mmCIF file of all heavy atoms in Angstrom:
data_model
loop_
_atom_site.group_PDB
_atom_site.id
_atom_site.type_symbol
_atom_site.label_atom_id
_atom_site.label_comp_id
_atom_site.label_asym_id
_atom_site.label_seq_id
_atom_site.Cartn_x
_atom_site.Cartn_y
_atom_site.Cartn_z
ATOM 1 N N PRO A 34 -21.898 9.178 76.751
ATOM 2 C CA PRO A 34 -23.178 9.260 77.436
ATOM 3 C C PRO A 34 -23.519 10.633 77.992
ATOM 4 O O PRO A 34 -24.631 10.871 78.414
ATOM 5 C CB PRO A 34 -22.999 8.262 78.569
ATOM 6 C CG PRO A 34 -21.537 8.207 78.793
ATOM 7 C CD PRO A 34 -20.883 8.388 77.444
ATOM 8 N N ALA A 35 -22.564 11.575 77.957
ATOM 9 C CA ALA A 35 -22.759 12.931 78.498
ATOM 10 C C ALA A 35 -21.649 13.802 77.948
ATOM 11 O O ALA A 35 -20.676 13.262 77.398
ATOM 12 C CB ALA A 35 -22.761 12.900 80.019
ATOM 13 N N PRO A 36 -21.735 15.106 78.097
ATOM 14 C CA PRO A 36 -20.614 15.927 77.723
ATOM 15 C C PRO A 36 -19.302 15.462 78.299
ATOM 16 O O PRO A 36 -19.263 15.129 79.498
ATOM 17 C CB PRO A 36 -20.994 17.394 78.225
ATOM 18 C CG PRO A 36 -22.486 17.333 78.210
ATOM 19 C CD PRO A 36 -22.853 15.915 78.579
ATOM 20 N N ARG A 37 -18.247 15.375 77.560
ATOM 21 C CA ARG A 37 -17.006 14.764 77.971
ATOM 22 C C ARG A 37 -16.253 15.654 78.953
ATOM 23 O O ARG A 37 -16.104 16.900 78.702
ATOM 24 C CB ARG A 37 -16.079 14.472 76.780
ATOM 25 C CG ARG A 37 -16.729 13.452 75.802
ATOM 26 C CD ARG A 37 -15.830 13.271 74.623
ATOM 27 N NE ARG A 37 -16.395 12.452 73.590
ATOM 28 C CZ ARG A 37 -16.196 11.117 73.504
ATOM 29 N NH1 ARG A 37 -15.364 10.480 74.324
ATOM 30 N NH2 ARG A 37 -16.764 10.417 72.527
ATOM 31 N N ALA A 38 -15.722 15.091 80.004
ATOM 32 C CA ALA A 38 -14.838 15.772 80.935
ATOM 33 C C ALA A 38 -13.357 15.595 80.498
ATOM 34 O O ALA A 38 -13.104 14.790 79.578
ATOM 35 C CB ALA A 38 -15.030 15.270 82.342
ATOM 36 N N GLY A 39 -12.478 16.273 81.193
ATOM 37 C CA GLY A 39 -11.067 16.088 80.904
ATOM 38 C C GLY A 39 -10.609 16.912 79.710
ATOM 39 O O GLY A 39 -11.349 17.732 79.155
ATOM 40 N N GLY A 40 -9.347 16.749 79.323
ATOM 41 C CA GLY A 40 -8.805 17.470 78.154
ATOM 42 C C GLY A 40 -7.794 18.522 78.657
ATOM 43 O O GLY A 40 -7.789 18.940 79.826
ATOM 44 N N GLN A 41 -7.037 18.929 77.717
ATOM 45 C CA GLN A 41 -5.999 19.940 78.036
ATOM 46 C C GLN A 41 -6.534 21.351 77.954
ATOM 47 O O GLN A 41 -7.669 21.599 77.611
ATOM 48 C CB GLN A 41 -4.837 19.781 77.021
ATOM 49 C CG GLN A 41 -5.178 20.030 75.588
ATOM 50 C CD GLN A 41 -4.058 19.712 74.671
ATOM 51 O OE1 GLN A 41 -2.968 19.298 75.046
ATOM 52 N NE2 GLN A 41 -4.325 19.806 73.344
ATOM 53 N N ALA A 42 -5.701 22.306 78.316
ATOM 54 C CA ALA A 42 -6.004 23.706 78.189
ATOM 55 C C ALA A 42 -6.004 24.021 76.693
ATOM 56 O O ALA A 42 -5.133 23.636 75.982
ATOM 57 C CB ALA A 42 -5.030 24.588 78.938
ATOM 58 N N ILE A 43 -6.996 24.795 76.183
ATOM 59 C CA ILE A 43 -7.106 25.151 74.821
ATOM 60 C C ILE A 43 -7.165 26.720 74.754
ATOM 61 O O ILE A 43 -7.438 27.410 75.729
ATOM 62 C CB ILE A 43 -8.308 24.515 74.133
ATOM 63 C CG1 ILE A 43 -9.607 24.707 74.932
ATOM 64 C CG2 ILE A 43 -8.046 23.012 73.991
ATOM 65 C CD1 ILE A 43 -10.345 25.953 74.641
ATOM 66 N N ASP A 44 -6.902 27.206 73.519
ATOM 67 C CA ASP A 44 -6.804 28.665 73.390
ATOM 68 C C ASP A 44 -7.892 29.190 72.442
ATOM 69 O O ASP A 44 -8.217 28.504 71.446
ATOM 70 C CB ASP A 44 -5.430 29.037 72.769
ATOM 71 C CG ASP A 44 -4.290 28.602 73.658
ATOM 72 O OD1 ASP A 44 -4.160 29.174 74.749
ATOM 73 O OD2 ASP A 44 -3.517 27.699 73.252
ATOM 74 N N ILE A 45 -8.407 30.359 72.772
ATOM 75 C CA ILE A 45 -9.363 31.038 71.929
ATOM 76 C C ILE A 45 -8.680 32.375 71.539
ATOM 77 O O ILE A 45 -8.364 33.186 72.392
ATOM 78 C CB ILE A 45 -10.669 31.273 72.673
ATOM 79 C CG1 ILE A 45 -11.276 29.925 73.139
ATOM 80 C CG2 ILE A 45 -11.691 32.007 71.708
ATOM 81 C CD1 ILE A 45 -12.412 30.054 74.094
ATOM 82 N N ARG A 46 -8.482 32.547 70.284
ATOM 83 C CA ARG A 46 -7.647 33.655 69.765
ATOM 84 C C ARG A 46 -8.230 34.372 68.587
ATOM 85 O O ARG A 46 -9.055 33.840 67.854
ATOM 86 C CB ARG A 46 -6.278 33.059 69.348
ATOM 87 C CG ARG A 46 -5.422 32.450 70.459
ATOM 88 C CD ARG A 46 -4.292 31.665 69.907
ATOM 89 N NE ARG A 46 -3.271 31.408 70.886
ATOM 90 C CZ ARG A 46 -2.407 30.399 70.789
ATOM 91 N NH1 ARG A 46 -2.448 29.594 69.739
ATOM 92 N NH2 ARG A 46 -1.507 30.189 71.751
#
Side-chain angles (χ1 to χ4, degrees):
R37 295 174 187 267
Q41 62 187 357
I43 50 87
D44 300 293
I45 304 170
R46 295 168 164 157

